Amino acid sequence: MAFSYRSSFQEALAALKREGRYRVFADILRECGAYPKAGLIENGITYTDNRGLPITVWCSNDYLNMGQHPKVLAAMHEAVDAVGAGSGGTRNISGTTHYHVELERELADLHGKEAALLFTSGFVSNDATLSTLAKVLPGLIIFSDELNHASMIEGIRHGGTAKYVFRHNDMEHLEELLKAAGSAAPKLIAFESVYSMEGEFSPTEQICDLAEKYGALTYIDEVHGVGLYGPRGAGVAARDGTMGRIDIVEGTLAKAFGVMGGYIAASTELVDCIRSFAPGFIFTTSLAPVIAAGTLASIRHLKSSDVERERLAERAATLKQKMAVAKLPVMDSPSHIVPVFVGDAALCKAVSDSLLKDHGVYVQPINYPTVPRGTERLRFTPSPAHTDAMMDALVDALVVVWDAHKLARAA
């Protein structure tokens, strides 16, 4: 009898559902200029909350609302009118436009590096760069923080090189591993600037100290830091004064900058090696010029404006304080990320569903494998556009749902 492919797929999905980890995508329709309000579409009908009002989005990574900034929209309109929609090919075959060239120069300048390289997403930039470095540097040993993003883990795995995982932000453990590796082998320390599920910062100065002591390259993922921290929004390393000591900066164009894409910034030679050897860069169509144009406008604006960053910091602090007063289990986070602990996958999904259906609060459950089992949480991302009234409504809804599901609150 032939192998039952369909039943295998069905069983794999059923296992996810039994564990409460099956993901359901909310079909939302944002209204330009009205963020964080949005409509929820179900069966072709735009749904509102139980009061007939639009839902409020609380989990977007468009941290600064730059996806709706007038300068960004104007630049994108101008670009699509000037050159059309797509890029027309890979970077090597007609897909390099002047928008791409300008954007790479702007990113290199942002991070004080010699060169930068664009990718279609932050995931691809991590995967392509880390896997290619392992091939360009024979015998490379990679030291990776245990909470690094899946894209970094995949890139290291695809490189097929030796790797050691150090305990999260544990510099003593990292030094033990570096010391044991010896001095002859090429080494690279891979870490994030802001760990997006915990909201924690990495100790960039201590990592750079260890890298210099043991002759290792440094690779920082600034995906959740770029645009949000440091002079001109150059990231956490710039805030810490360590940007010049870090060899490779990886970032995204889809979060604080509000558009789409990923990139690295580093020395001319290193960037040229990735450009020349990375399949994830070479064999894919380049970003649409309209996307590059919008991102360029966003970066240029945030280089000269601190208003958005200051407002975000205040909004995040205000929401944490309101949640603490309501005795909700908000996790300790020094950054703009506001995680609230649940601790059970099925409950996390149930709470998320209740918030959306009964209160018009849209926040996705964060379950395994994004976070370890038993640490499931809701991850709130307040923005400059979230008002005190929205926050009060959110906290009131959380208290009602928390009590309805018999979840613990602080004493």
Side-chain angles (χ1 to χ4, degrees):
M1 189 171 76
F3 186 83
S4 178
Y5 297 101
R6 182 182 292 269
S7 63
S8 295
F9 298 144
Q10 290 171 338
E11 177 51 36
L13 292 171
L16 274 181
K17 292 176 181 178
R18 285 194 299 270
E19 295 176 27
R21 295 195 296 117
Y22 182 75
R23 298 169 191 246
V24 177
F25 297 161
D27 183 356
I28 66 171
L29 189 63
R30 299 202 299 177
E31 181 182 346
C32 190
Y35 185 80
K37 295 296 184 180
L40 175 68
I41 299 176
E42 292 184 343
N43 300 318
I45 299 170
T46 301
Y47 168 87
T48 56
D49 70 8
N50 60 0
R51 299 159 297 172
L53 300 173
I55 64 170
T56 304
V57 178
W58 279 101
C59 54
S60 174
N61 285 334
D62 186 0
Y63 293 131
L64 299 176
N65 311 142
M66 291 304 294
Q68 300 196 15
H69 195 281
K71 289 182 182 178
V72 175
L73 300 183
M76 296 181 81
H77 282 296
E78 182 181 334
V80 78
D81 289 340
V83 300
S87 69
T90 65
R91 289 292 296 275
N92 185 53
I93 305 175
S94 82
T96 295
T97 71
H98 192 59
Y99 294 99
H100 298 88
V101 174
E102 278 196 289
L103 180 51
E104 287 174 340
R105 288 173 180 164
E106 201 74 32
L107 288 164
D109 172 78
L110 177 66
H111 295 294
K113 302 301 181 188
E114 294 174 349
L117 192 67
L118 289 171
F119 295 84
T120 51
S121 74
F123 190 106
V124 174
S125 56
N126 269 332
D127 188 5
T129 302
L130 287 166
S131 60
T132 302
L133 286 171
K135 293 175 171 60
V136 172
L137 299 171
L140 178 67
I141 303 172
I142 298 180
F143 302 84
S144 176
D145 189 289
E146 67 177 334
L147 294 187
N148 276 345
H149 190 262
S151 58
M152 300 174 78
I153 295 169
E154 285 297 292
I156 295 167
R157 184 174 66 84
H158 290 157
T161 193
K163 73 166 183 181
Y164 294 96
V165 178
F166 60 93
R167 292 186 292 271
H168 177 53
N169 279 349
D170 187 332
M171 295 299 98
E172 290 186 5
H173 188 213
L174 174 58
E175 183 163 21
E176 287 175 17
L177 296 173
L178 286 165
K179 187 181 296 184
S183 59
K187 295 176 280 291
L188 180 144
I189 304 170
F191 60 102
E192 297 185 41
S193 66
V194 182
Y195 289 86
S196 63
M197 295 302 134
E198 290 72 28
E200 296 173 347
F201 294 112
S202 60
T204 66
E205 185 172 3
Q206 295 176 58
I207 291 172
C208 288
D209 289 344
L210 289 176
E212 290 166 7
K213 182 177 180 180
Y214 292 97
L217 292 173
T218 43
Y219 182 106
I220 189 170
D221 177 318
E222 282 272 21
V223 162
H224 295 274
V226 70
L228 304 172
Y229 300 96
R232 305 192 304 162
V236 172
R239 181 202 68 179
D240 295 349
T242 54
M243 183 66 73
R245 303 172 66 192
I246 288 175
D247 298 290
I248 308 156
V249 179
E250 184 273 341
T252 185
L253 310 173
K255 293 182 170 59
F257 296 133
V259 193
M260 178 185 177
Y263 67 91
I264 60 166
S267 68
T268 300
E269 295 81 7
L270 189 148
V271 168
D272 203 12
C273 275
I274 303 303
R275 183 189 70 86
S276 301
F277 293 107
F281 173 81
I282 297 169
F283 299 106
T284 191
T285 300
S286 65
L287 288 172
V290 64
I291 290 174
T295 308
L296 193 60
S298 182
I299 293 170
R300 286 173 174 167
H301 174 78
L302 289 173
K303 277 183 173 180
S304 61
S305 175
D306 290 322
V307 172
E308 293 82 3
R309 286 186 281 276
E310 291 170 355
R311 173 70 172 170
L312 175 63
E314 182 276 322
R315 292 287 78 195
T318 297
L319 181 59
K320 292 172 188 176
Q321 191 270 338
K322 287 178 180 290
M323 287 180 168
V325 169
K327 302 188 184 305
L328 291 163
V330 59
M331 300 167 67
D332 185 33
S333 161
S335 72
H336 60 285
I337 307 293
V338 185
V340 177
F341 185 82
V342 177
D344 177 270
L347 269 176
C348 201
K349 177 70 167 62
V351 167
S352 173
D353 288 346
S354 295
L355 286 168
L356 180 60
K357 295 296 183 182
D358 299 329
H359 301 276
V361 169
Y362 176 40
V363 59
Q364 283 291 78
I366 305 296
N367 293 334
Y368 178 84
T370 306
V371 294
R373 298 179 196 273
T375 69
E376 293 83 0
R377 68 203 64 176
L378 301 175
R379 174 183 175 271
F380 294 91
T381 53
S383 77
H386 285 88
T387 65
D388 281 351
M390 291 175 185
M391 291 185 180
D392 291 338
L394 167 64
V395 171
D396 290 345
L398 282 168
V399 168
V400 169
V401 172
W402 232 250
D403 292 346
H405 285 86
K406 297 181 172 53
L407 289 165
R409 287 199 279 146

